[in-house]
Amino acid sequence: MNVTRRAAAGTSEAAGHPAVAAPVLAEVAATDAALAVDEAPAVDAGSPVDEAGAVTGHRRPGRPRSAQADRAIMDATLSLFAESGAAGLCIEKVAARAGVGKATIYRRWPGKEDLLLHAITSLKAPLPEPRGRSVREDLRMLLEAICEQFADPCQAREFALLLGEGAKYPRLMTRYTETVIEPRREVIRNVLRRGTVTGELRGDADIEAALYMLTGSVLARSRHGDVPVEPGYAGRVVDELLRGLGAR
């Protein structure tokens, strides 16, 4: 495909989107011209891919990735997902809204499922590192962080949408659980396991049941509660749980 025609096409996709900054368009045009690739997915067959689906490892020679373009793509993906769910999400629409060429997206993610997973993952901040001095304090800190994240209406809406799409896109939900949810659960499990070793918790404590009691107490309030989770709620949940799990 002619490079000049392709660069012009990529630029025209952004027409009608004045909010897109000129540097994003300049980066896309310059990158497309430097690499001279077609609009088909440009991911090398042997390129390594991370857990969220983004291409990693050695990249083809060219201009460095633009953080501004990445952010525009993430924002466009999340806004389209919020409007129409996974079914209404496509690379062409994301590219047009972000003001980039389709090849710019394909060089980063092989398809829309990987792109959506990466965008949703970017919303989740990692849980704080447990201090390791007190199981009670560590559980309070972790549960308070989860409460704060669900208090963000954007994150809460994206999570609710993702759960709703789970039946239609089981592979997407499975990957989200494996790459985002399970690592966070494991942080809490490790605190609970530590408590059974140090004697702060009963040695026969049911770790999985305790995990779901903690996280479920936030999910239930966030999804079905009439009022937001109030300050101090996480501490009360932990205290009530430890009445039953505490060593006697």
Side-chain angles (χ1 to χ4, degrees), residues 84-102:
S84 53
L89 185 70
C90 66
I91 299 298
E92 289 79 3
K93 290 181 180 179
V94 173
R97 183 164 296 192
V100 301
K102 289 188 294 183

Side-chain angles (χ1 to χ4, degrees), residues 61-227:
R63 291 171 59 86
R65 284 177 55 155
S66 164
Q68 190 175 13
D70 281 356
R71 187 66 262 167
I73 293 168
M74 292 293 96
D75 290 344
T77 301
L78 291 171
S79 64
L80 285 168
F81 178 57
E83 290 171 11
S84 53
L89 185 70
C90 66
I91 299 298
E92 289 79 3
K93 290 181 180 179
V94 173
R97 183 164 296 192
V100 301
K102 289 188 294 183
T104 300
I105 297 177
Y106 280 124
R107 278 195 294 274
R108 292 153 163 82
W109 300 278
K112 81 169 189 178
E113 184 176 289
D114 300 282
L115 173 60
L116 178 57
L117 180 63
H118 190 89
I120 295 175
T121 301
S122 71
L123 291 173
K124 288 285 188 185
L127 290 177
E129 183 71 23
R131 298 185 178 93
R133 294 193 294 266
S134 164
V135 168
R136 183 185 299 273
E137 292 307 312
D138 282 347
L139 291 178
R140 280 184 176 180
M141 178 179 65
L142 293 171
L143 206 59
E144 284 172 356
I146 295 173
C147 287
E148 289 175 4
Q149 291 173 8
F150 273 95
D152 181 344
C154 180
Q155 290 198 38
R157 175 169 171 74
E158 300 295 348
F159 183 71
L161 282 170
L162 186 62
L163 290 181
E165 299 285 346
K168 300 178 188 176
Y169 300 92
R171 180 172 175 268
L172 175 63
M173 195 65 204
T174 297
R175 291 184 62 195
Y176 178 77
T177 300
E178 291 174 349
T179 60
V180 179
I181 301 300
E182 269 305 309
R184 294 162 66 87
R185 288 173 176 167
E186 192 62 15
V187 173
I188 299 175
R189 287 190 189 104
N190 286 336
V191 173
L192 293 167
R193 292 185 188 117
R194 190 186 78 227
T196 64
V197 173
T198 62
E200 295 172 81
L201 304 180
R202 295 198 324 266
D204 63 348
D206 189 327
I207 302 299
E208 286 301 301
L211 166 69
Y212 284 104
M213 288 177 190
L214 289 165
T215 58
S217 67
V218 180
L219 291 175
R221 284 289 302 270
S222 300
R223 295 185 65 191
H224 307 296
D226 295 328
V227 295

